[in-house]
Amino acid sequence: MSPLTPYRRLFAHPGTRAFTLGNLVARLPMGMFSVSAVIMIASSRGSYALAGAVTATGLAATAVVAPWTARLVDRHGQARVAVPATAFALLGGIGLVVCVRLGAPDWSLFAAYAATATTPNTGGMSRARWAHLLRGDAAALHTANSFEQAVDELCFMLGPVLAALLCGTVSPEAGMLVGSALMMTGVLLFTAQRSTQPPPQPRPTSASPALAPGMPSLLLSFLATGAVFGAMEVVTIAFADERGHRSAAGAVLALQAAGSCLAGLLFGTMNRGTPSPALSTPLDRRAASPDHAAPLAPAAHSPERSDLLDDRTAHSPECPAPLDVEGTFARRFAVCVGAMAVLLTLPLLAVRLTGALPVLAGALLVAGMATAPTMVTGMTLVQRRTPEGRLNEGMTLAVTGLLGGIAGGSAVGGWVAEHVSPAAGYTVPVAAATVALAIATLGARTGARTGARTGAVRHREPRLETRPANTP
């Protein structure tokens, strides 16, 4: 079978190509906005500290607003919420351009960029559509999730390049304006595909995922990891500008995303023998519940559902497997974060020892190879620890943690780059990764107890969905 066969089957479903195309257009600007804002503000005001603080404010506002926007999308539908939310964010982006262009006070930049916090999570909405269309088909859903991860990396490779190119060759404001236009156009195209839109969901009854066992420390790890990304972006732009190659900053950052993409593909092939998180998440259990339209009795005999039954059986109170599985994922997450912390010393050494932009680019390519394994393993833990019926909110909280970290990392990285030196700024990502490693290591020590608790809860599911067809 050709490696492309699962993807051909995936896009054979009616409407999938149309909503994917619209989502791609809407998602590309996600990799453009921060770079565009930093270049535009630094060019006009001559301060990377101010640029970093403004982008940090926008990301912090997004971290606060994003969970509420996600809840509204789940409760009222994607089209009904995403379009007005995007339009409001569009006004914030245009307002930022106007304030910079007219030389408005610095506080107006913070206010304008904070208004972009209503931007909906387009990647999450796309994943929700796949989960709705492919409910009960674990193999196809795994293929869809793999595709979505590849799209994320593609956007963060091409977005900074396009932003830096537009800001460097057209005008400092071009990146923000083009990104805003692409986002609005993409969301309109995406939400126009009503046939694939998941139905609104009722209000959840379980407690917040933030309070679930093991989640607080995990979210703190995401916060520190986000600081790595935020600091690296601002510091790299400042370093490229110092070397007289500001327009090349996007390409250099894209290499880090390319390294992550390559490592992610390899990491996926290395984990075939581990329990699949897609088969043990609340989303999969919910998709298999009798409340959904698709009957699951025939699928209970398929290989994919057999894996799911095995995983659920492993979560029985009589079976110690969840202790080992949870501990395995927690320890793997700590190892991945440790690898990220070690590899992040390469960019620091590159700028300290050579000061050459090409050498830095190569170092970022290698350093980025720890990103995807870290994120995949971390998100797996989020899926396993999120309570029943709250998976979307749990994933949004993880993204919120990342955004909060990016905000703090951008501010600190920009301050160090301006007041010390861009080369010294590369100590900020290393320090943030070290903090993430300490938190992940502490979390791994309690992972076994967390797994025992969550395993017992997950086992208490309706027996109907695990019985063969026609079984009373």
Side-chain angles (χ1 to χ4, degrees), residues 20 23-32 120-128 130 143-160 229 253-254 256-262 264-265 371-372 375-376 379 383 395 399 402:
T20 298
N23 193 265
L24 281 171
V25 176
R27 235 148 126 184
L28 180 60
M30 297 302 105
M32 297 176 61
N121 184 359
T122 50
M125 291 192 296
S126 182
R127 288 178 173 88
W130 286 119
T143 303
N145 286 334
S146 299
F147 172 77
E148 292 296 326
Q149 183 62 36
V151 170
D152 282 339
E153 299 296 344
L154 180 65
C155 290
F156 280 102
M157 280 191 288
L158 298 181
F229 303 150
L253 289 170
Q256 184 181 13
S260 176
C261 183
L262 292 174
L265 294 174
T371 301
M375 295 306 302
V376 170
M379 288 298 183
Q383 291 175 339
M395 298 293 283
V399 174
L402 285 172

Side-chain angles (χ1 to χ4, degrees), residues 82-185:
V83 173
T86 303
F88 190 86
L90 178 68
L91 294 177
I94 295 175
L96 178 65
V97 172
V98 172
C99 290
V100 171
R101 192 73 175 178
L102 298 180
D106 290 349
W107 65 263
S108 65
L109 308 184
F110 290 90
Y113 202 60
T116 64
T118 61
T119 302
N121 184 359
T122 50
M125 291 192 296
S126 182
R127 288 178 173 88
R129 292 203 179 205
W130 286 119
H132 170 64
L133 295 172
L134 306 174
R135 60 184 183 273
D137 190 344
L141 186 58
H142 173 73
T143 303
N145 286 334
S146 299
F147 172 77
E148 292 296 326
Q149 183 62 36
V151 170
D152 282 339
E153 299 296 344
L154 180 65
C155 290
F156 280 102
M157 280 191 288
L158 298 181
V161 175
L162 180 59
L165 181 65
L166 290 170
C167 293
T169 61
V170 180
S171 73
E173 298 85 8
M176 183 64 67
L177 292 174
V178 172
S180 299
L182 288 174
M183 181 180 66
M184 191 73 246
T185 301

Side-chain angles (χ1 to χ4, degrees), residues 39-399:
I39 295 177
M40 178 175 64
I41 295 172
S43 299
S44 173
R45 305 297 170 95
S47 174
Y48 278 102
L50 175 62
V54 170
T55 56
T57 299
L59 291 172
T62 301
V64 174
V65 175
W68 297 96
T69 303
R71 289 182 188 178
L72 291 174
V73 169
D74 285 338
R75 294 177 186 176
H76 303 290
Q78 294 181 353
R80 187 175 177 183
V81 176
V83 173
T86 303
F88 190 86
L90 178 68
L91 294 177
I94 295 175
L96 178 65
V97 172
V98 172
C99 290
V100 171
R101 192 73 175 178
L102 298 180
D106 290 349
W107 65 263
S108 65
L109 308 184
F110 290 90
Y113 202 60
T116 64
T118 61
T119 302
N121 184 359
T122 50
M125 291 192 296
S126 182
R127 288 178 173 88
R129 292 203 179 205
W130 286 119
H132 170 64
L133 295 172
L134 306 174
R135 60 184 183 273
D137 190 344
L141 186 58
H142 173 73
T143 303
N145 286 334
S146 299
F147 172 77
E148 292 296 326
Q149 183 62 36
V151 170
D152 282 339
E153 299 296 344
L154 180 65
C155 290
F156 280 102
M157 280 191 288
L158 298 181
V161 175
L162 180 59
L165 181 65
L166 290 170
C167 293
T169 61
V170 180
S171 73
E173 298 85 8
M176 183 64 67
L177 292 174
V178 172
S180 299
L182 288 174
M183 181 180 66
M184 191 73 246
T185 301
V187 168
L188 288 173
L189 292 174
F190 174 74
T191 55
Q193 310 306 315
R194 300 296 182 96
S195 63
T196 55
Q197 178 178 261
Q201 302 297 321
R203 291 175 177 267
T205 57
S206 57
S208 171
L211 304 177
M215 282 292 282
S217 63
L218 187 57
L219 294 177
L220 286 176
S221 295
F222 275 92
L223 185 70
T225 302
V228 173
F229 303 150
M232 186 66 74
E233 183 175 276
V234 173
V235 169
T236 299
I237 294 174
F239 183 80
D241 187 23
E242 183 186 57
R243 293 296 184 271
H245 300 287
R246 177 186 293 178
S247 60
V252 173
L253 289 170
L255 285 176
Q256 184 181 13
S260 176
C261 183
L262 292 174
L265 294 174
L266 178 61
F267 188 71
T269 64
M270 294 171 59
N271 283 280
R272 293 177 179 177
T274 60
S276 173
L279 301 180
S280 59
T281 62
L283 179 61
D284 187 66
R285 293 195 300 273
R286 179 180 172 186
S289 70
D291 294 334
H292 284 77
L296 293 184
H301 299 286
S302 67
E304 294 82 10
R305 304 311 293 173
S306 297
D307 292 338
L308 177 56
L309 297 181
D310 291 342
D311 186 62
R312 286 172 175 167
T313 302
H315 284 81
S316 168
E318 294 78 20
C319 180
L323 193 77
D324 296 332
V325 169
E326 188 76 23
T328 297
F329 281 118
R331 288 189 296 271
R332 181 180 299 160
F333 179 60
V335 170
C336 290
V337 175
M340 180 176 67
V342 172
L343 291 180
L344 282 172
T345 62
L346 296 179
L348 177 61
L349 291 174
V351 297
R352 289 285 193 179
L353 299 178
T354 69
L357 195 60
V359 177
L360 172 63
L364 287 174
L365 175 67
V366 177
M369 292 181 179
T371 301
T374 299
M375 295 306 302
V376 170
T377 309
M379 288 298 183
T380 297
L381 282 172
V382 171
Q383 291 175 339
R384 296 186 66 87
R385 294 175 179 178
T386 298
E388 180 75 22
R390 306 290 292 264
L391 181 61
N392 287 334
E393 186 178 350
M395 298 293 283
T396 300
L397 286 172
V399 174

